[in-house]
Amino acid sequence: MYTNVSSSVLLSLAPLGISDASIYPAFVFGTITYLLIMFFNLLVLAAIVVSKKLHKPMFILLFNLPITDMMGATAFFPHLIYSIVTQDRQISQPACITQAFLIHFYGRGNLLILSSMAYDRYVAICCPLRYNAVMTPHNLIKIITSIWLITFSTVVALILLLARFKMCKTHVVDLFCNNPSLLKLVCDDIRVNNSYGLVIMCLIQGGTLGIIIYTYLQILRTCVMTNHPDARRKAIQTCGSHLVVFLLLEFNSVITLIAHRIESASPYMRRVLGVSVVIFPPFFDPIIYGLKITELKQSIKRFLRRSVVSIKG
C-alpha cells in the first residue's frame, strides 16, 4: 500500500556511484565542463551580437541555440556538482519538477531551432534567388516566435499533467529529473500523460526529423548538381556540422524516451544516453559551429582580440 508523498518530502535521484577517492576529480571535471559550456555559448552569443556581419537569418536563428543549451546545462550541472561534493542525491519535489521543465524545454527547443536552421539552409542553397523574399525579418520573427511558443506551451502542458498527481514514491530512477522518471513515482492512472507524451514525441521528434531529412536530401541533390566546387564544399561543410549536432540530440533523446516505456531496457544505458543529451550538445554545439562556420569563427576571433586589448588597456 502506497501513501501520498507531500511536496515537502525530498525525492532521491539515482546514485552517482562515485567512490570517495573520485569525489574531487569528479567535482573538478563537472565544474570545468559546466564553466566551459557557459563560456563557449556566451562567446557565440556575444560574437553574433557585436558583429553586424552576422545579423543575418542564419545567425539570428543560431543565436537561440546557445540560450537553450545554457538552460539545459544549468538545469543539470549545479545540482550534479552539489551532489558530487555532498554525496547527497536528495532533491525537493518543486526543484525536481523545475529541473524537468527546464530540461524538456531545452531538448524540445533545440530540435525546433535546429530544424528551422535546416530550413534556412535549404532556402539559401536550393532557392538562392528567393532567399531574401522568403527569409524576411517579418518571417524570421514568426519562425522564432513559433519556436518559443510551441516549446513553452507543450512543455507547460506536460508539466501540468504531471503536477496534478500526488507522488507515492520517492526514488527517481534517473540521474536527473524528467517527465518519464517522475511519472514512475505516481500510483494513479497515467494513461493520459503517456498518450500526450507519445503524441508530442511523434509530432516534435518525427516532424523535426522529417524536415531534416527532406531539406538535406534537397541540399545534397543541389550540391551534387552544382558546377561550383567552392560553393559545394562550403554548403556540405556547413550542413554536415549541422546534421551531426541534430542527429546527436535526436537519436539520444528518442532512445532515452523509448527506453522508459520498455521495462526490459537497461537502466544504465538509459541513464548514460539521458546524461549525454544534456552534456554533449551544449558542449559541442558552440565548438562545432564556431569552428565550421567561417564567418562566425572570424567574428569570435575579432571579439576575443578586442576583449584582450581592452583588458590590457
Side-chain angles (χ1 to χ4, degrees), residues 42-54:
L42 285 171
L43 190 60
V44 171
L45 288 177
I48 294 174
V49 168
V50 301
S51 177
K52 291 184 178 180
K53 291 182 179 179
L54 300 185

PDB file of all heavy atoms in Angstrom, residues 42-54:
ATOM      1  N   LEU A  42      28.267  31.624 -24.330  1.00  0.00           N
ATOM      2  CA  LEU A  42      28.221  33.091 -24.180  1.00  0.00           C
ATOM      3  C   LEU A  42      29.103  33.757 -25.231  1.00  0.00           C
ATOM      4  O   LEU A  42      28.776  34.848 -25.721  1.00  0.00           O
ATOM      5  CB  LEU A  42      28.676  33.490 -22.779  1.00  0.00           C
ATOM      6  CG  LEU A  42      27.670  33.235 -21.654  1.00  0.00           C
ATOM      7  CD1 LEU A  42      28.319  33.477 -20.290  1.00  0.00           C
ATOM      8  CD2 LEU A  42      26.431  34.131 -21.806  1.00  0.00           C
ATOM      9  N   LEU A  43      30.212  33.107 -25.580  1.00  0.00           N
ATOM     10  CA  LEU A  43      31.104  33.643 -26.612  1.00  0.00           C
ATOM     11  C   LEU A  43      30.398  33.702 -27.962  1.00  0.00           C
ATOM     12  O   LEU A  43      30.515  34.695 -28.689  1.00  0.00           O
ATOM     13  CB  LEU A  43      32.354  32.761 -26.701  1.00  0.00           C
ATOM     14  CG  LEU A  43      33.515  33.278 -27.557  1.00  0.00           C
ATOM     15  CD1 LEU A  43      34.021  34.618 -27.030  1.00  0.00           C
ATOM     16  CD2 LEU A  43      34.645  32.248 -27.554  1.00  0.00           C
ATOM     17  N   VAL A  44      29.657  32.650 -28.309  1.00  0.00           N
ATOM     18  CA  VAL A  44      28.894  32.641 -29.568  1.00  0.00           C
ATOM     19  C   VAL A  44      27.839  33.747 -29.551  1.00  0.00           C
ATOM     20  O   VAL A  44      27.670  34.486 -30.528  1.00  0.00           O
ATOM     21  CB  VAL A  44      28.237  31.267 -29.797  1.00  0.00           C
ATOM     22  CG1 VAL A  44      27.263  31.325 -30.974  1.00  0.00           C
ATOM     23  CG2 VAL A  44      29.292  30.205 -30.053  1.00  0.00           C
ATOM     24  N   LEU A  45      27.122  33.878 -28.433  1.00  0.00           N
ATOM     25  CA  LEU A  45      26.109  34.929 -28.312  1.00  0.00           C
ATOM     26  C   LEU A  45      26.724  36.312 -28.482  1.00  0.00           C
ATOM     27  O   LEU A  45      26.204  37.157 -29.227  1.00  0.00           O
ATOM     28  CB  LEU A  45      25.415  34.837 -26.948  1.00  0.00           C
ATOM     29  CG  LEU A  45      24.453  33.671 -26.711  1.00  0.00           C
ATOM     30  CD1 LEU A  45      23.933  33.704 -25.278  1.00  0.00           C
ATOM     31  CD2 LEU A  45      23.294  33.699 -27.693  1.00  0.00           C
ATOM     32  N   ALA A  46      27.844  36.544 -27.792  1.00  0.00           N
ATOM     33  CA  ALA A  46      28.493  37.854 -27.854  1.00  0.00           C
ATOM     34  C   ALA A  46      28.992  38.164 -29.262  1.00  0.00           C
ATOM     35  O   ALA A  46      28.845  39.296 -29.756  1.00  0.00           O
ATOM     36  CB  ALA A  46      29.652  37.898 -26.855  1.00  0.00           C
ATOM     37  N   ALA A  47      29.582  37.157 -29.925  1.00  0.00           N
ATOM     38  CA  ALA A  47      30.099  37.363 -31.279  1.00  0.00           C
ATOM     39  C   ALA A  47      28.984  37.733 -32.249  1.00  0.00           C
ATOM     40  O   ALA A  47      29.155  38.606 -33.115  1.00  0.00           O
ATOM     41  CB  ALA A  47      30.822  36.107 -31.761  1.00  0.00           C
ATOM     42  N   ILE A  48      27.831  37.089 -32.113  1.00  0.00           N
ATOM     43  CA  ILE A  48      26.697  37.395 -33.003  1.00  0.00           C
ATOM     44  C   ILE A  48      26.145  38.780 -32.713  1.00  0.00           C
ATOM     45  O   ILE A  48      25.794  39.527 -33.630  1.00  0.00           O
ATOM     46  CB  ILE A  48      25.593  36.326 -32.848  1.00  0.00           C
ATOM     47  CG1 ILE A  48      26.092  34.969 -33.353  1.00  0.00           C
ATOM     48  CG2 ILE A  48      24.330  36.733 -33.611  1.00  0.00           C
ATOM     49  CD1 ILE A  48      25.136  33.817 -33.114  1.00  0.00           C
ATOM     50  N   VAL A  49      26.098  39.155 -31.447  1.00  0.00           N
ATOM     51  CA  VAL A  49      25.543  40.460 -31.065  1.00  0.00           C
ATOM     52  C   VAL A  49      26.416  41.604 -31.578  1.00  0.00           C
ATOM     53  O   VAL A  49      25.908  42.584 -32.144  1.00  0.00           O
ATOM     54  CB  VAL A  49      25.380  40.559 -29.533  1.00  0.00           C
ATOM     55  CG1 VAL A  49      25.089  41.997 -29.111  1.00  0.00           C
ATOM     56  CG2 VAL A  49      24.261  39.646 -29.063  1.00  0.00           C
ATOM     57  N   VAL A  50      27.739  41.494 -31.400  1.00  0.00           N
ATOM     58  CA  VAL A  50      28.622  42.629 -31.704  1.00  0.00           C
ATOM     59  C   VAL A  50      29.000  42.723 -33.177  1.00  0.00           C
ATOM     60  O   VAL A  50      29.432  43.790 -33.629  1.00  0.00           O
ATOM     61  CB  VAL A  50      29.912  42.563 -30.845  1.00  0.00           C
ATOM     62  CG1 VAL A  50      29.571  42.583 -29.368  1.00  0.00           C
ATOM     63  CG2 VAL A  50      30.750  41.341 -31.182  1.00  0.00           C
ATOM     64  N   SER A  51      28.853  41.637 -33.926  1.00  0.00           N
ATOM     65  CA  SER A  51      29.250  41.658 -35.337  1.00  0.00           C
ATOM     66  C   SER A  51      28.031  41.893 -36.234  1.00  0.00           C
ATOM     67  O   SER A  51      27.150  41.045 -36.342  1.00  0.00           O
ATOM     68  CB  SER A  51      29.927  40.338 -35.715  1.00  0.00           C
ATOM     69  OG  SER A  51      30.255  40.325 -37.087  1.00  0.00           O
ATOM     70  N   LYS A  52      28.014  43.030 -36.902  1.00  0.00           N
ATOM     71  CA  LYS A  52      26.898  43.346 -37.804  1.00  0.00           C
ATOM     72  C   LYS A  52      26.853  42.402 -39.001  1.00  0.00           C
ATOM     73  O   LYS A  52      25.799  42.187 -39.589  1.00  0.00           O
ATOM     74  CB  LYS A  52      27.006  44.798 -38.278  1.00  0.00           C
ATOM     75  CG  LYS A  52      26.761  45.826 -37.173  1.00  0.00           C
ATOM     76  CD  LYS A  52      26.785  47.241 -37.709  1.00  0.00           C
ATOM     77  CE  LYS A  52      26.480  48.252 -36.595  1.00  0.00           C
ATOM     78  NZ  LYS A  52      26.499  49.641 -37.103  1.00  0.00           N
ATOM     79  N   LYS A  53      28.014  41.823 -39.368  1.00  0.00           N
ATOM     80  CA  LYS A  53      28.054  40.891 -40.488  1.00  0.00           C
ATOM     81  C   LYS A  53      27.251  39.625 -40.200  1.00  0.00           C
ATOM     82  O   LYS A  53      26.849  38.906 -41.124  1.00  0.00           O
ATOM     83  CB  LYS A  53      29.503  40.512 -40.799  1.00  0.00           C
ATOM     84  CG  LYS A  53      30.333  41.651 -41.385  1.00  0.00           C
ATOM     85  CD  LYS A  53      31.732  41.162 -41.712  1.00  0.00           C
ATOM     86  CE  LYS A  53      32.566  42.284 -42.324  1.00  0.00           C
ATOM     87  NZ  LYS A  53      33.953  41.838 -42.641  1.00  0.00           N
ATOM     88  N   LEU A  54      27.036  39.347 -38.910  1.00  0.00           N
ATOM     89  CA  LEU A  54      26.299  38.137 -38.529  1.00  0.00           C
ATOM     90  C   LEU A  54      24.822  38.397 -38.283  1.00  0.00           C
ATOM     91  O   LEU A  54      24.105  37.496 -37.853  1.00  0.00           O
ATOM     92  CB  LEU A  54      26.925  37.518 -37.268  1.00  0.00           C
ATOM     93  CG  LEU A  54      28.383  37.088 -37.378  1.00  0.00           C
ATOM     94  CD1 LEU A  54      28.822  36.392 -36.095  1.00  0.00           C
ATOM     95  CD2 LEU A  54      28.610  36.170 -38.583  1.00  0.00           C
TER      96      LEU A  54
END
